[in-house]
Amino acid sequence: MYSETHTYDYEKKYPSDPLGEEVKENARFWKVYLDEAEHYDDEMLGGFKDTIDSLLVFAALFSGVVTTFVTVTITAFQPNYSQTTATLLVEQVQLLRAAGNLTAINAIPSTTLNPDDASPGTNDIWINGLFFATQCHLEMPKKKH
């Protein structure tokens, strides 16, 4: 059984072997065998090459998309410096007003704000955990069995 591109007539391609030499090193049997094995290997490797190319393109695109999502959502894990600045400015204005009104500074409530504190939500933690897990899964080498 031959594929469309493989139409050899081995009886015409290789001369017959003399009687008694049909299984020697240079016999037609081995030449036919090598031609068939080479054709089979070429088709198999061509299929592997096409599959690997598709998988590599998919992995690259998937990794790029997930990386974009990670860079966008990672801000939930960082302190909100805008909110920190606004809170400290409000406290400073209150202190300035207190100084102008001769109010005791101890009467102005101080903020309990920690500028380095970031408390992401549970959803943010889960979503980013899944993003990082997909990235790690793509980059881990496969184990041979």
Side-chain angles (χ1 to χ4, degrees):
M1 187 175 224
Y2 302 112
S3 68
E4 296 166 6
T5 60
H6 188 66
T7 54
Y8 291 127
D9 183 1
Y10 290 113
E11 291 179 0
K12 291 180 182 176
K13 186 173 180 180
Y14 299 113
S16 296
D17 296 322
L19 189 60
E21 296 184 11
E22 293 90 359
V23 291
K24 289 193 174 183
E25 279 184 27
N26 207 15
R28 178 169 62 176
F29 170 79
W30 297 115
K31 294 174 185 175
V32 171
Y33 171 78
L34 290 174
D35 283 350
E36 288 292 326
E38 181 181 9
H39 176 69
Y40 177 80
D41 289 346
D42 287 344
E43 285 184 357
M44 183 179 62
L45 291 176
F48 285 161
K49 180 184 172 283
D50 294 341
T51 303
I52 292 295
D53 287 347
S54 299
L55 287 174
L56 287 175
V57 167
F58 170 75
L61 290 174
F62 185 78
S63 179
V65 168
V66 170
T67 301
T68 303
F69 285 141
V70 166
T71 57
V72 169
T73 59
I74 200 73
T75 57
F77 290 91
Q78 297 173 349
N80 187 348
Y81 292 112
S82 299
Q83 182 65 37
T84 303
T85 303
T87 304
L88 292 174
L89 280 174
V90 167
E91 184 178 352
Q92 185 177 13
V93 167
Q94 289 173 343
L95 288 171
L96 287 173
R97 284 187 182 155
N101 294 336
L102 298 175
T103 307
I105 291 184
N106 293 340
I108 304 299
S110 62
T111 61
T112 57
L113 190 63
N114 182 0
D116 294 328
D117 186 27
S119 55
T122 306
N123 288 342
D124 293 326
I125 293 171
W126 271 99
I127 289 170
N128 278 285
L130 292 174
F131 285 155
F132 284 114
T134 59
Q135 288 292 92
C136 291
H137 177 71
L138 285 177
E139 295 171 4
M140 288 178 58
K142 302 294 182 212
K143 204 174 198 184
K144 292 184 181 180
H145 297 288

